[in-house]
């Protein structure tokens, strides 16, 4: 297991850190703004905590944060393939993002039953719509931009059905202009919810909606979710949503738990576009 940090800041705000990375020939990305001035450019880079430079980078990030500099540090946890294969349950991590649900910015009015406009807790009631058939290239899974639902190609659907995996339905994705199902892309619509709560909720930041009073939890960035091993032995499905809602701002979603046999099968096929994080059974 390792942690990555994706750091973004205006170069002028973290000049010393930029010089430190430059000195050690560490790769960074410079994105110029509309004024095209390098001093106002955005600096971004990704670094793992296992990297020899991490201690020096971490000390400087902490210093900048204490000085109220505008620095964003996205943290993510990564597991080795061996760790994922050994886990009896995993949850879906990063999934390749591409394309938008339509109508853009208001697709939820068509596809979701919104239970609260403030926190956006919802239920999907209709298929999503996109512009046209998709070309998958080397990937086999995707999310649409800013969405949590999982989409895949016919090859994966056929293989899942042959394997007899459970806990999902195949939903159509519609062409926006014609409202007809597309052949190249389908949604994995998960139908089960875990009957047991997360064991380590005290490690999560609770967010109470001021309007409906329902609870979401801030995205889990360090560590992983824990469940009781004796509880999970009783589960008889391959896919299921967590009970708990995750979210920030106007977004809300539930993470998807996946059985070991599904994870092993996906890894064996070397399908791309999806990653997993191990569940800790206690």
């Amino acid at each position: 297991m390792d942690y990555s940090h994706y750091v973004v800041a205006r170069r002028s705000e973290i000049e010393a850190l930029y010089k430190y990375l430059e000195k050690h020939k560490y790769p960074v990305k410079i994105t110029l703004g509309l004024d095209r001035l390098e001093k106002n450019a955005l600096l971004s880079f990704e670094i793992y905590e296992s990297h020899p430079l991490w201690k020096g980078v971490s000390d400087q990030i902490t210093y900048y944060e204490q000085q109220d500099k505008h620095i964003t540090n996205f943290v993510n946890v990564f597991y080795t393939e061996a760790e994922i294969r050994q886990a009896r349950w995993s949850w879906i991590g990063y999934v390749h993002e591409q394309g938008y649900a339509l109508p853009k910015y208001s697709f939820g009015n068509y596809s979701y039953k919104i239970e609260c406009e403030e926190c956006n807790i919802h239920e999907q009631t209709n298929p999503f719509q996109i512009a046209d058939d998709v070309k998958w290239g080397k990937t086999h899974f995707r999310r649409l931009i800013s969405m949590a639902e999982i989409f895949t190609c016919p090859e994966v659907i056929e293989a899942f059905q042959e394997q007899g995996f459970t806990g999902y339905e195949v939903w159509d994705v519609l062409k926006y202009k014609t409202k007809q199902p597309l052949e190249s892309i389908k949604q994995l619509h998960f139908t089960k919810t875990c009957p047991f709560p997360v064991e380590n909720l005290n490690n999560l930041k609770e967010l109470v909606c001021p309007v409906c009073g329902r609870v979401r939890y801030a995205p889990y960035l360090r560590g992983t979710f824990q469940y009781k091993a004796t509880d999970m032995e009783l589960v008889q499905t391959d896919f299921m949503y967590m009970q708990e809602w995750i979210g920030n701002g106007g977004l809300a979603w539930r993470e998807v738990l996946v059985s070991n046999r599904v994870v092993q099968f996906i890894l064996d096929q070397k399908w791309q576009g999806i990653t997993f994080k191990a569940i800790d059974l206690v």
Side-chain angles (χ1 to χ4, degrees):
M1 185 176 70
D2 200 355
Y3 291 96
S4 76
H5 295 254
Y6 182 71
V7 180
V8 183
R10 197 170 299 280
R11 175 184 160 177
S12 58
E13 293 269 322
I14 57 169
E15 187 66 25
L17 177 55
Y18 172 66
K19 295 295 186 184
Y20 177 79
L21 295 171
E22 188 179 46
K23 175 184 175 182
H24 292 279
K25 296 181 172 56
Y26 192 85
V28 301
K29 180 179 179 181
I30 299 292
T31 305
L32 298 178
L34 294 176
D35 60 12
R36 313 304 295 172
L37 296 177
E38 190 165 329
K39 67 176 182 179
N40 294 327
L42 284 180
L43 170 71
S44 60
F45 64 93
E46 184 175 23
I47 187 169
Y48 284 83
E49 292 186 2
S50 58
H51 194 281
L53 293 180
W54 167 244
K55 179 61 169 61
V57 171
S58 176
D59 289 345
Q60 294 197 53
I61 290 175
T62 300
Y63 170 77
Y64 289 128
E65 289 174 340
Q66 292 172 345
Q67 298 298 312
D68 291 327
K69 299 292 186 180
H70 297 291
I71 183 169
T72 303
N73 179 17
F74 297 100
V75 186
N76 201 1
V77 60
F78 285 89
Y79 291 85
T80 65
E81 181 172 324
E83 289 171 327
I84 292 297
R85 286 185 179 274
Q86 291 169 5
R88 287 163 56 190
W89 284 91
S90 297
W91 54 290
I92 295 177
Y94 170 78
V95 177
H96 173 73
E97 284 193 0
Q98 186 174 343
Y100 288 92
L102 298 175
K104 200 171 180 181
Y105 307 123
S106 60
F107 65 86
N109 298 334
Y110 175 83
S111 299
Y112 290 155
K113 175 185 175 183
I114 304 294
E115 298 178 13
C116 176
E117 296 289 346
E118 178 69 21
C119 65
N120 202 38
I121 288 178
H122 59 270
E123 175 187 0
Q124 185 183 350
T125 54
N126 289 303
F128 288 102
Q129 305 173 105
I130 63 174
D132 208 340
D133 274 305
V134 303
K135 295 181 179 179
W136 286 95
K138 294 182 179 180
T139 63
H140 294 79
F141 299 89
R142 71 170 56 177
R143 284 182 167 126
L144 299 177
I145 293 172
S146 299
M147 293 174 54
E149 287 77 13
I150 308 295
F151 302 87
T152 191
C153 56
E155 176 188 352
V156 172
I157 295 296
E158 182 178 354
F160 277 12
Q161 292 172 338
E162 289 177 352
Q163 294 297 313
F165 296 149
T166 59
Y168 75 98
E169 296 174 346
V170 180
W171 277 32
D172 286 326
V173 178
L174 307 182
K175 185 172 181 175
Y176 178 58
K177 287 186 176 181
T178 66
K179 304 299 186 286
Q180 295 302 306
L182 295 167
E183 294 300 323
S184 62
I185 181 171
K186 300 296 178 181
Q187 180 187 348
L188 294 174
H189 181 79
F190 305 112
T191 59
K192 304 293 185 181
T193 299
C194 183
F196 309 106
V198 169
E199 188 70 12
N200 57 334
L201 278 181
N202 59 317
N203 292 343
L204 303 179
K205 181 181 179 181
E206 187 176 281
L207 306 172
V208 180
C209 177
V211 175
C212 71
R214 294 182 68 175
V215 175
R216 294 177 298 163
Y217 296 90
Y220 205 1
L221 302 178
R222 297 196 69 89
T224 189
F225 299 107
Q226 295 180 347
Y227 284 89
K228 287 184 178 179
T230 52
D231 286 345
M232 298 303 280
E233 288 176 356
L234 303 175
V235 174
Q236 301 293 318
T237 189
D238 290 301
F239 294 97
M240 57 183 174
Y241 282 119
M242 289 173 42
Q243 289 185 10
E244 296 78 13
W245 282 89
I246 309 298
N248 51 37
L251 298 177
W253 68 92
R254 289 180 293 170
E255 305 292 4
V256 179
L257 306 180
V258 186
S259 71
N260 178 266
R261 72 171 187 149
V262 173
V263 171
Q264 295 269 18
F265 183 75
I266 291 174
L267 293 176
D268 287 345
Q269 307 311 307
K270 301 188 184 304
W271 286 336
Q272 298 183 37
I274 193 168
T275 63
F276 299 99
K277 301 180 182 184
I279 291 291
D280 187 13
L281 297 182
V282 296

PDB file of all heavy atoms in Angstrom, residues 257-269:
ATOM      1  N   LEU A 257     -18.902  -1.973  -3.370  1.00  0.00           N
ATOM      2  CA  LEU A 257     -18.108  -3.091  -2.880  1.00  0.00           C
ATOM      3  C   LEU A 257     -18.137  -4.221  -3.916  1.00  0.00           C
ATOM      4  O   LEU A 257     -19.183  -4.497  -4.515  1.00  0.00           O
ATOM      5  CB  LEU A 257     -18.657  -3.592  -1.548  1.00  0.00           C
ATOM      6  CG  LEU A 257     -18.812  -2.538  -0.437  1.00  0.00           C
ATOM      7  CD1 LEU A 257     -19.367  -3.180   0.824  1.00  0.00           C
ATOM      8  CD2 LEU A 257     -17.489  -1.853  -0.157  1.00  0.00           C
ATOM      9  N   VAL A 258     -16.991  -4.883  -4.094  1.00  0.00           N
ATOM     10  CA  VAL A 258     -16.848  -5.901  -5.132  1.00  0.00           C
ATOM     11  C   VAL A 258     -16.202  -7.145  -4.523  1.00  0.00           C
ATOM     12  O   VAL A 258     -15.203  -7.048  -3.805  1.00  0.00           O
ATOM     13  CB  VAL A 258     -15.983  -5.383  -6.307  1.00  0.00           C
ATOM     14  CG1 VAL A 258     -15.974  -6.395  -7.443  1.00  0.00           C
ATOM     15  CG2 VAL A 258     -16.489  -4.030  -6.793  1.00  0.00           C
ATOM     16  N   SER A 259     -16.762  -8.319  -4.830  1.00  0.00           N
ATOM     17  CA  SER A 259     -16.237  -9.565  -4.285  1.00  0.00           C
ATOM     18  C   SER A 259     -14.881  -9.910  -4.890  1.00  0.00           C
ATOM     19  O   SER A 259     -14.521  -9.458  -5.975  1.00  0.00           O
ATOM     20  CB  SER A 259     -17.219 -10.712  -4.545  1.00  0.00           C
ATOM     21  OG  SER A 259     -17.232 -11.040  -5.930  1.00  0.00           O
ATOM     22  N   ASN A 260     -14.162 -10.775  -4.197  1.00  0.00           N
ATOM     23  CA  ASN A 260     -12.834 -11.176  -4.651  1.00  0.00           C
ATOM     24  C   ASN A 260     -12.884 -11.868  -5.999  1.00  0.00           C
ATOM     25  O   ASN A 260     -11.995 -11.685  -6.836  1.00  0.00           O
ATOM     26  CB  ASN A 260     -12.174 -12.083  -3.606  1.00  0.00           C
ATOM     27  CG  ASN A 260     -10.811 -12.583  -4.038  1.00  0.00           C
ATOM     28  OD1 ASN A 260     -10.679 -13.655  -4.603  1.00  0.00           O
ATOM     29  ND2 ASN A 260      -9.786 -11.775  -3.791  1.00  0.00           N
ATOM     30  N   ARG A 261     -13.921 -12.676  -6.238  1.00  0.00           N
ATOM     31  CA  ARG A 261     -13.938 -13.421  -7.501  1.00  0.00           C
ATOM     32  C   ARG A 261     -14.121 -12.500  -8.706  1.00  0.00           C
ATOM     33  O   ARG A 261     -13.580 -12.764  -9.776  1.00  0.00           O
ATOM     34  CB  ARG A 261     -14.998 -14.522  -7.475  1.00  0.00           C
ATOM     35  CG  ARG A 261     -16.451 -14.086  -7.556  1.00  0.00           C
ATOM     36  CD  ARG A 261     -17.333 -15.304  -7.751  1.00  0.00           C
ATOM     37  NE  ARG A 261     -18.732 -14.949  -7.994  1.00  0.00           N
ATOM     38  CZ  ARG A 261     -19.548 -15.668  -8.747  1.00  0.00           C
ATOM     39  NH1 ARG A 261     -19.107 -16.762  -9.346  1.00  0.00           N
ATOM     40  NH2 ARG A 261     -20.802 -15.302  -8.914  1.00  0.00           N
ATOM     41  N   VAL A 262     -14.839 -11.397  -8.532  1.00  0.00           N
ATOM     42  CA  VAL A 262     -14.960 -10.425  -9.624  1.00  0.00           C
ATOM     43  C   VAL A 262     -13.629  -9.709  -9.844  1.00  0.00           C
ATOM     44  O   VAL A 262     -13.176  -9.544 -10.975  1.00  0.00           O
ATOM     45  CB  VAL A 262     -16.075  -9.403  -9.327  1.00  0.00           C
ATOM     46  CG1 VAL A 262     -16.072  -8.296 -10.382  1.00  0.00           C
ATOM     47  CG2 VAL A 262     -17.428 -10.092  -9.303  1.00  0.00           C
ATOM     48  N   VAL A 263     -13.012  -9.273  -8.755  1.00  0.00           N
ATOM     49  CA  VAL A 263     -11.735  -8.563  -8.859  1.00  0.00           C
ATOM     50  C   VAL A 263     -10.685  -9.453  -9.522  1.00  0.00           C
ATOM     51  O   VAL A 263      -9.962  -9.019 -10.428  1.00  0.00           O
ATOM     52  CB  VAL A 263     -11.264  -8.101  -7.471  1.00  0.00           C
ATOM     53  CG1 VAL A 263      -9.833  -7.552  -7.540  1.00  0.00           C
ATOM     54  CG2 VAL A 263     -12.203  -7.041  -6.918  1.00  0.00           C
ATOM     55  N   GLN A 264     -10.601 -10.699  -9.082  1.00  0.00           N
ATOM     56  CA  GLN A 264      -9.631 -11.628  -9.676  1.00  0.00           C
ATOM     57  C   GLN A 264      -9.888 -11.777 -11.170  1.00  0.00           C
ATOM     58  O   GLN A 264      -8.944 -11.774 -11.980  1.00  0.00           O
ATOM     59  CB  GLN A 264      -9.741 -13.001  -8.995  1.00  0.00           C
ATOM     60  CG  GLN A 264      -9.351 -13.008  -7.531  1.00  0.00           C
ATOM     61  CD  GLN A 264      -7.872 -13.306  -7.316  1.00  0.00           C
ATOM     62  OE1 GLN A 264      -7.062 -13.181  -8.227  1.00  0.00           O
ATOM     63  NE2 GLN A 264      -7.522 -13.688  -6.104  1.00  0.00           N
ATOM     64  N   PHE A 265     -11.150 -11.893 -11.556  1.00  0.00           N
ATOM     65  CA  PHE A 265     -11.485 -12.083 -12.964  1.00  0.00           C
ATOM     66  C   PHE A 265     -11.086 -10.866 -13.787  1.00  0.00           C
ATOM     67  O   PHE A 265     -10.487 -11.002 -14.866  1.00  0.00           O
ATOM     68  CB  PHE A 265     -12.992 -12.344 -13.107  1.00  0.00           C
ATOM     69  CG  PHE A 265     -13.424 -12.611 -14.514  1.00  0.00           C
ATOM     70  CD1 PHE A 265     -13.164 -13.834 -15.113  1.00  0.00           C
ATOM     71  CD2 PHE A 265     -14.089 -11.640 -15.256  1.00  0.00           C
ATOM     72  CE1 PHE A 265     -13.556 -14.088 -16.423  1.00  0.00           C
ATOM     73  CE2 PHE A 265     -14.489 -11.883 -16.559  1.00  0.00           C
ATOM     74  CZ  PHE A 265     -14.219 -13.108 -17.148  1.00  0.00           C
ATOM     75  N   ILE A 266     -11.374  -9.670 -13.300  1.00  0.00           N
ATOM     76  CA  ILE A 266     -11.020  -8.448 -14.036  1.00  0.00           C
ATOM     77  C   ILE A 266      -9.510  -8.326 -14.173  1.00  0.00           C
ATOM     78  O   ILE A 266      -8.991  -7.991 -15.247  1.00  0.00           O
ATOM     79  CB  ILE A 266     -11.620  -7.213 -13.338  1.00  0.00           C
ATOM     80  CG1 ILE A 266     -13.150  -7.218 -13.487  1.00  0.00           C
ATOM     81  CG2 ILE A 266     -11.031  -5.918 -13.901  1.00  0.00           C
ATOM     82  CD1 ILE A 266     -13.855  -6.114 -12.721  1.00  0.00           C
ATOM     83  N   LEU A 267      -8.783  -8.619 -13.094  1.00  0.00           N
ATOM     84  CA  LEU A 267      -7.323  -8.545 -13.160  1.00  0.00           C
ATOM     85  C   LEU A 267      -6.767  -9.596 -14.112  1.00  0.00           C
ATOM     86  O   LEU A 267      -5.805  -9.337 -14.855  1.00  0.00           O
ATOM     87  CB  LEU A 267      -6.725  -8.716 -11.765  1.00  0.00           C
ATOM     88  CG  LEU A 267      -7.010  -7.591 -10.764  1.00  0.00           C
ATOM     89  CD1 LEU A 267      -6.448  -7.947  -9.385  1.00  0.00           C
ATOM     90  CD2 LEU A 267      -6.442  -6.267 -11.243  1.00  0.00           C
ATOM     91  N   ASP A 268      -7.351 -10.787 -14.107  1.00  0.00           N
ATOM     92  CA  ASP A 268      -6.885 -11.846 -15.022  1.00  0.00           C
ATOM     93  C   ASP A 268      -7.061 -11.444 -16.487  1.00  0.00           C
ATOM     94  O   ASP A 268      -6.233 -11.778 -17.333  1.00  0.00           O
ATOM     95  CB  ASP A 268      -7.644 -13.149 -14.756  1.00  0.00           C
ATOM     96  CG  ASP A 268      -7.223 -13.820 -13.458  1.00  0.00           C
ATOM     97  OD1 ASP A 268      -6.164 -13.450 -12.908  1.00  0.00           O
ATOM     98  OD2 ASP A 268      -7.967 -14.708 -12.984  1.00  0.00           O
ATOM     99  N   GLN A 269      -8.163 -10.724 -16.769  1.00  0.00           N
ATOM    100  CA  GLN A 269      -8.415 -10.295 -18.153  1.00  0.00           C
ATOM    101  C   GLN A 269      -7.539  -9.117 -18.562  1.00  0.00           C
ATOM    102  O   GLN A 269      -7.483  -8.759 -19.741  1.00  0.00           O
ATOM    103  CB  GLN A 269      -9.891  -9.883 -18.321  1.00  0.00           C
ATOM    104  CG  GLN A 269     -10.907 -10.914 -17.871  1.00  0.00           C
ATOM    105  CD  GLN A 269     -10.644 -12.287 -18.423  1.00  0.00           C
ATOM    106  OE1 GLN A 269     -10.498 -12.466 -19.640  1.00  0.00           O
ATOM    107  NE2 GLN A 269     -10.563 -13.281 -17.532  1.00  0.00           N
TER     108      GLN A 269
END
